[in-house]
Amino acid sequence: MAMPEGYDGLRTGDESERTDDPNEYKRTCIDFIEDISHDYEAWVDYYKLPEDEDKRRREGIKATIARTNEWLAKVAQSIKAVDVIMNDGIQKMAESTAGKPLEIGVFVNQKSGYTETKPGVIDVVVKGNPRKNRKLKLGYHFKDDRFRIESTCGAYLEETNLPTEGFDEMEIHLKLHAENAKSRDVISFTITIGEFENDVEIDKRGISTVVHLV
């Protein structure tokens, strides 16, 4: 789902330049997360879903607002960190809006969604179970981009030797390189997983994770 037109992440109110004060910028972004959530809720309205699914998606959006804004307030120490956490929240709201039909999870340090760990090469565990007669495969976030990743420390996900096969039961380990990270750095990344039947992709979903380096 596209961002609202005209949003480039650099506008605060009528000023043409973003503030240099992280605390001021945090407040702007906390408000922005709250504001943009209504666009995602409007999409949920538009889908006209069964009551329980409608409720599940709205609760996902609300939970994301609360956690993202808590991270913006407490974790972010720089303008860049605010951007990373805010964009992670926007991704997560989009994921809740689209629904979560696949049984998949991404874990860092045995936690999902909002996690913390030490700098270095970080083990990212991707797990999932497809529905009947289907298989799961690691997908692409966008065209040729396998992963979405944004960080304050130049982190990247290793792309050599990635599994290309379909899994009846997925448990794969990815390497997140954050050797240059320091305490208080943040990384957000999205892993995309496709569900296939007879080699045809039936469904696809992304899962976003934000990592606080401690």
Side-chain angles (χ1 to χ4, degrees):
M1 196 176 323
M3 291 293 298
E5 225 173 332
Y7 170 69
D8 60 6
L10 300 173
R11 300 274 180 262
T12 63
D14 296 322
E15 303 154 17
S16 58
E17 305 255 325
R18 177 160 62 172
T19 172
D20 292 329
D21 174 4
N23 287 324
E24 205 176 305
Y25 187 50
K26 270 183 198 188
R27 281 193 288 277
T28 303
C29 292
I30 285 169
D31 290 344
F32 178 74
I33 286 285
E34 187 70 58
D35 287 348
I36 199 174
S37 70
H38 303 306
D39 295 1
Y40 290 106
E41 286 167 346
W43 275 101
V44 177
D45 289 340
Y46 176 76
Y47 295 143
K48 302 207 179 342
L49 301 156
E51 193 180 339
D52 57 340
E53 182 59 27
D54 182 279
K55 184 167 173 244
R56 192 176 301 128
R57 294 190 194 188
R58 286 178 202 283
E59 281 172 356
I61 294 168
K62 280 202 178 67
T64 299
I65 300 168
R67 289 300 299 276
T68 297
N69 284 345
E70 183 189 349
W71 272 55
L72 284 169
K74 293 182 179 168
V75 176
Q77 298 292 301
S78 65
I79 296 274
K80 178 66 180 160
V82 172
D83 273 343
V84 171
I85 294 167
M86 176 178 70
N87 290 336
D88 180 82
I90 292 165
Q91 289 288 331
K92 285 187 169 107
M93 281 195 263
E95 288 159 16
S96 289
T97 302
K100 301 185 175 178
L102 304 184
E103 200 184 306
I104 50 180
V106 174
F107 303 90
V108 171
N109 227 350
Q110 296 165 337
K111 287 203 175 119
S112 65
Y114 298 83
T115 68
E116 59 178 41
T117 194
K118 293 182 172 60
V121 180
I122 298 163
D123 182 35
V124 178
V125 185
V126 183
K127 292 184 177 184
N129 292 297
R131 288 169 285 195
K132 200 175 156 92
N133 301 328
R134 294 183 181 173
K135 290 194 183 309
L136 292 180
K137 284 185 189 179
L138 198 55
Y140 283 85
H141 176 67
F142 183 72
K143 290 189 179 154
D144 300 328
D145 294 336
R146 175 89 52 191
F147 307 115
R148 182 196 73 87
I149 185 159
E150 210 183 334
S151 75
T152 54
C153 58
Y156 66 94
L157 281 152
E158 196 172 304
E159 297 198 27
T160 48
N161 303 323
L162 291 176
T164 52
E165 70 269 28
F167 292 88
D168 293 320
E169 197 173 323
M170 181 182 252
E171 180 166 340
I172 58 179
H173 292 257
L174 303 175
K175 287 190 172 85
L176 174 58
H177 287 271
E179 291 94 331
N180 298 333
K182 296 177 187 64
S183 173
R184 306 312 294 253
D185 271 324
V186 288
I187 304 166
S188 164
F189 63 91
T190 306
I191 307 289
T192 302
I193 297 169
E195 189 180 54
F196 288 75
E197 194 167 333
N198 303 326
D199 283 337
V200 178
E201 189 174 272
I202 307 288
D203 226 328
K204 163 170 115 161
R205 286 295 186 273
I207 298 190
S208 295
T209 303
V210 66
V211 186
H212 175 205
L213 283 306
V214 291

